[in-house]
Amino acid sequence: MKLITILGARPQFIKAATVSRALIEYNRSVTDPAQRIDEKILHTGQHYDANMSDVFFRALEIPQPAWNLHCGGIGSHAEATARMMTGIERVLLDERPDRVLVYGDTDSTLAGALTAAKLHIPVAHVEAGLRSFNRRMPEEINRVLTDHLADRLFCPTRAAVEHLRREGITDGVMHTGDVMYDAALIFGRLAAGRSTVIESLGLTPKSFYLATVHRAENTDDVTRLTAIVRALIEASTPTCPVVWPLHPRTRSRLEAYGLLAPLSDAVRLTDPVDYWDMVRLEQSAAAILTDSGGIQKEAYFHRTPCVTLRDETEWTETVEAGWNILTGSDTDRILHALRNPSPTRHEIADFGDGHAAEHIVRALIKNVPSQLGRHPMVP
Ligand code: UDP
């Protein structure tokens, strides 16, 4: 089978790393070459800085992209998506793959799914069925549309399966578990040996907070970003500093709003860090403050309390289990949640058995059961 995986942004590299590993394992296990899945990666170039892209391919040993469309830093969503679609179409017409695989909810996801579907190439979506129910988020629009274009929908949680059912999508839907849980298990064990970030930043484990902010709803709204910055400055002390690896978009907005200078006096700002450093920081932090989707879950996977700087989340399981508190951008609520984590926290079984990537590979090679509920997890 000829498979083209379309990627473009940091969280997708991490998700794809687990499936690419599982594909390599699967290919090793089959003797008949006709049964192999030949994966080629198409990188749209949406994220292009070395520390947002190349470091992940190297560190996580993801096969090098066969194509890079260099679509990063292009104006609006429409312009970027259109440019990606034109490049993707050219590759798909030349290659004529049997299937396209897309991940998550970025413009690259939608561009890949829409282009393939119009060429009648079947689309598989990893991380299907997530919903924030906030249509002002570009990610929500990307994921809803991608789910309606895909014929294989690999859901990380049961809630995701249920969201799809409510939208009338039941064929090709499976609860595989979460590939990011696989990643946390595989790479979490190795991080201590591969990262010296705690030592190089002079941090004491469990005596610092880790922050990340990059969602447009926070970065592009000066009132929200100012309120978050105020909370981080107040939370950061010499004995328990806030460490904040800055997403390039956030850095440019902080500069534009005049917030960078006061922030850098109080908070430990760094460039984006590689995945090994990120995992080590997540494992060692006293708590995490974030508006990232992936990091909310990684906080739970590494059993670190999380404060989510958004008004809603796709990962409601983490909130219900007591590991995550939603605060929006309100300074007082952020500080209160940070100082008062939930006293009772439960385990969450829903993210799967740590082998989501293998379940996905198995589903790619055989017919997918269509009846929801009969197949809670791919056998
Ligand atoms: N990440 C990283 N370095 C950083 C910030 C994030 O390796 O400096 C990783 C993080 O561990 C997670 C993924 O990037 O696996 C999340 O990406 P992001 O927050 O950009 O996107 P989202 O999950 O919100 O779509």
Side-chain angles (χ1 to χ4, degrees), residues 11 27 36 66 103 116 142 145 178 254 292-293 350 353 358 362:
N27 285 336
R36 299 220 169 107
Y103 290 82
N142 291 340
L145 293 179
D178 190 343
L254 288 169
S292 157
D350 216 25
D353 59 4
E358 289 149 52
R362 229 175 296 161

Side-chain angles (χ1 to χ4, degrees), residues 140-207:
E140 182 77 352
I141 294 166
N142 291 340
R143 45 172 102 98
V144 170
L145 293 179
T146 301
D147 284 338
H148 283 260
L149 294 166
D151 76 327
R152 297 279 191 277
L153 299 103
F154 302 130
C155 297
T157 60
R158 281 170 215 281
V161 174
E162 180 56 20
H163 294 150
L164 292 175
R165 192 190 62 76
R166 289 206 200 128
E167 290 173 23
I169 306 175
T170 53
D171 281 351
V173 173
M174 6 176 62
H175 175 211
T176 54
D178 190 343
V179 289
M180 288 196 75
Y181 179 44
D182 297 14
L185 292 179
I186 301 168
F187 302 119
R189 282 192 286 268
L190 303 173
R194 304 216 179 170
S195 163
T196 55
V197 68
I198 302 297
E199 297 74 17
S200 58
L201 291 178
L203 299 168
T204 307
K206 300 299 163 194
S207 295

